[in-house]
Amino acid sequence: MKTIAPKPSTRQEIVEKADLLFYQRGFENTSFANIADEVKISRGNFYYHFKTKDDILAAVIAHRAAQTQAMLDAWAQKGHTPAERLKCFAQMLIDNRQDIQRFGCPVGTLCAELAKREHPSQGDAGMIFGQFRRWLAEQFAALGRADDADTLAMHLLARSQGIASLANAFHDEVFIRHEVDQIEAWVQSVAPQGS
């Protein structure tokens, strides 16, 4: 018997639609009306759930943080070795290549937009990068590079952002695939001999 997934609550649907619109259009270019239209609810019903756009932003950031943690947990289960888990991170660029080429990195673009506006939530959005940084550092430490695990994590995080930015600028899938191959070779090269 086929099970049917429960319909998300109206609040959750608002958050999910806002998340997508913030990614595709930007936070500043997305209005309450845009989100309400996507969810197909009246503005009065919308205001019942969220009073301000900053309230929605906070919910979107929390939603993205939860999704990021779920993804990191899945990679930890999928990869049997630290190198395999790091490969999962790199593979994310290929798995999301179409969206990245069109809209950039969802975390990077939001952080950049909020930073330009000196928005109070820019630090909260940046903490999603912190989740990746900690997880990557754990993998490099497990790979045998505990002394410089955070430096390596930041290098890989910065490289992935550069790839996403240039893939968005040039709409070049071949570039993404080449760079992911280079990341995978680099991960093997930084592993201590015999690990």
Side-chain angles (χ1 to χ4, degrees):
M1 187 172 189
K2 191 175 180 181
T3 58
I4 300 171
K7 186 178 185 297
S9 68
T10 300
R11 180 183 172 83
Q12 184 61 28
E13 196 173 356
I14 290 169
V15 171
E16 289 172 5
K17 296 292 185 184
D19 183 15
L20 184 62
L21 290 171
F22 290 173
Y23 178 37
Q24 293 177 345
R25 296 182 181 186
F27 171 70
E28 192 64 29
N29 292 328
T30 301
S31 68
F32 272 11
N34 296 143
I35 302 166
D37 288 347
E38 286 291 319
V39 181
K40 297 178 178 36
I41 59 172
S42 69
R43 289 189 65 157
N45 195 4
F46 187 93
Y47 286 116
Y48 171 78
H49 296 283
F50 294 98
K51 304 294 185 226
T52 70
K53 198 169 166 187
D54 285 349
D55 291 342
I56 300 168
L57 177 60
V60 165
I61 291 170
H63 173 71
R64 287 188 184 186
Q67 285 186 312
T68 298
Q69 191 58 55
M71 184 170 58
L72 297 175
D73 292 345
W75 292 346
Q77 294 298 315
K78 182 178 178 183
H80 299 294
T81 66
E84 286 177 10
R85 293 190 288 273
L86 289 165
K87 183 178 178 180
C88 289
F89 174 82
Q91 188 67 36
M92 172 180 60
L93 291 163
I94 292 175
D95 293 344
N96 297 298
R97 65 192 178 278
Q98 291 176 333
D99 286 340
I100 289 170
Q101 288 175 82
R102 189 158 177 208
F103 306 112
C105 167
V107 180
T109 55
L110 181 63
C111 286
E113 182 180 4
L114 296 178
K116 285 178 192 174
R117 302 191 172 284
E118 297 183 353
H119 193 282
S121 294
Q122 71 184 50
D124 294 333
M127 289 313 298
I128 297 172
F129 278 137
Q131 288 176 277
F132 282 114
R133 179 181 183 175
R134 284 187 300 277
W135 187 86
L136 290 169
E138 288 169 9
Q139 306 319 309
F140 282 114
L143 192 65
R145 296 293 298 262
D147 290 346
D148 59 352
D150 186 62
T151 300
L152 294 170
M154 285 294 283
H155 174 76
L156 183 50
L157 194 54
R159 186 164 185 182
S160 71
Q161 284 302 294
I163 294 166
S165 181
L166 291 175
N168 176 241
F170 294 112
H171 305 284
D172 190 343
E173 182 175 329
V174 173
F175 166 74
I176 295 172
R177 291 183 181 278
H178 176 265
E179 289 299 310
V180 168
D181 288 344
Q182 293 295 310
I183 288 172
E184 291 175 3
W186 174 75
V187 166
Q188 292 302 323
S189 77
V190 300
Q193 293 288 345
S195 65

